[in-house]
Amino acid sequence: MENNERPLHESSNDFCLSRAECGNLTANCIVGRLAVMVRNEREIYSHDNFLPSHDGQISSAAPHNPMSTVDSDWRASIVKWSYNVVDYFDLSREVVALSMACFDRFFATRITRPTSDLVLLASIATLHIAIKFRESAIIKVSTLAWFGRGRFNESRIANMELLVLNELRWLTNPPTVISFVMHLILLLPDMTLDTKRKVLESSRFLAGR
């Protein structure tokens, strides 16, 4: 193996990715992963792919920004609520990024402005989906229903999860800001593990604002 193809993560163990994932990654491997992530973000997970259609054609009148259908104050409240939930259970904050990516693309499929109940119900559903995709911890639907102040029973939340998954064609694992950052950190020049952790934590803070 040439020098520029040596593993980049030998001394960092589980700093960014699991050892099985990154133990033998070379610079070319990481660059290749980043290229795939960029392509997925632009081609597979683009909001335009989830716009309402008519006879197979995307409606030109459909909003290209889900924020045009979801009140911005509601969305801000949903983000804050989601962070409170993941912090309470000591889960990765990247769960919120994944949840909101699903949330935004779900509402990209909607033309009319949703009710506050639909926004809250969808946010509970997408958060539960994200937890199941990114965490080993099992958070019961009944627990999230309690965090939703009991406005929805378990059956409604489960049905909403299925609706979201079907509307998104089960494309629920988009690359997040943090996943890009974690790969880019591996390409940085040699630096201490503590410095890399500080870069990652700063990135997480900025991504979550």
Side-chain angles (χ1 to χ4, degrees):
M1 180 180 291
E2 298 179 5
N3 289 337
N4 64 350
E5 283 295 291
R6 67 182 175 82
L8 296 181
H9 208 50
E10 292 175 348
S11 62
S12 299
N13 295 328
D14 298 327
F15 164 63
C16 288
L17 307 168
S18 69
R19 188 169 182 79
E21 285 259 312
C22 63
N24 296 313
L25 282 184
T26 64
N28 285 341
C29 290
I30 296 168
V31 171
R33 283 189 175 199
L34 287 167
V36 171
M37 290 162 64
V38 170
R39 184 170 67 248
N40 286 347
E41 185 179 56
R42 290 177 175 174
E43 298 178 5
I44 297 177
Y45 290 100
S46 169
H47 287 168
D48 288 352
N49 293 337
F50 300 93
L51 295 176
S53 61
H54 178 69
D55 295 331
Q57 299 295 319
I58 292 177
S59 170
S60 59
H64 285 252
N65 184 346
M67 300 306 99
S68 62
T69 55
V70 177
D71 183 272
S72 59
D73 290 337
W74 291 355
R75 188 181 185 280
S77 296
I78 291 301
V79 171
K80 183 178 180 180
W81 173 83
S82 299
Y83 277 126
N84 287 340
V85 173
V86 300
D87 288 346
Y88 179 86
F89 290 107
D90 196 26
L91 305 177
S92 168
R93 284 193 151 206
E94 192 179 9
V95 166
V96 178
L98 178 59
S99 173
M100 295 310 298
C102 294
F103 177 91
D104 289 343
R105 286 184 292 110
F106 172 73
F107 281 107
T109 68
R110 298 294 192 265
I111 296 177
T112 58
R113 185 176 294 275
T115 63
S116 59
D117 273 1
L118 178 58
V119 170
L120 178 58
L121 180 58
S123 69
I124 296 173
T126 58
L127 184 61
H128 197 219
I129 290 169
I131 290 173
K132 289 188 284 188
F133 265 86
R134 288 294 170 90
E135 293 286 345
S136 58
I138 299 175
I139 309 299
K140 295 181 179 179
V141 175
S142 58
T143 302
L144 290 181
W146 180 83
F147 272 95
R149 299 181 180 180
R151 289 176 66 177
F152 313 106
N153 59 32
E154 296 177 39
S155 177
R156 286 194 67 186
I157 296 173
N159 288 338
M160 190 66 192
E161 283 188 49
L162 185 58
L163 175 62
V164 170
L165 290 170
N166 286 333
E167 290 286 354
L168 300 185
R169 304 190 296 278
W170 291 77
L171 296 172
T172 54
N173 194 28
T176 64
V177 171
I178 295 302
S179 61
F180 277 104
V181 170
M182 289 193 298
H183 281 78
L184 289 170
I185 285 178
L186 298 178
L187 296 176
L188 293 176
D190 290 339
M191 59 179 62
T192 65
L193 184 59
D194 184 59
T195 300
K196 287 187 175 182
R197 284 199 176 106
K198 288 180 179 178
V199 172
L200 180 59
E201 288 307 310
S202 296
S203 301
R204 281 174 171 160
F205 172 76
L206 293 172
R209 295 186 67 179

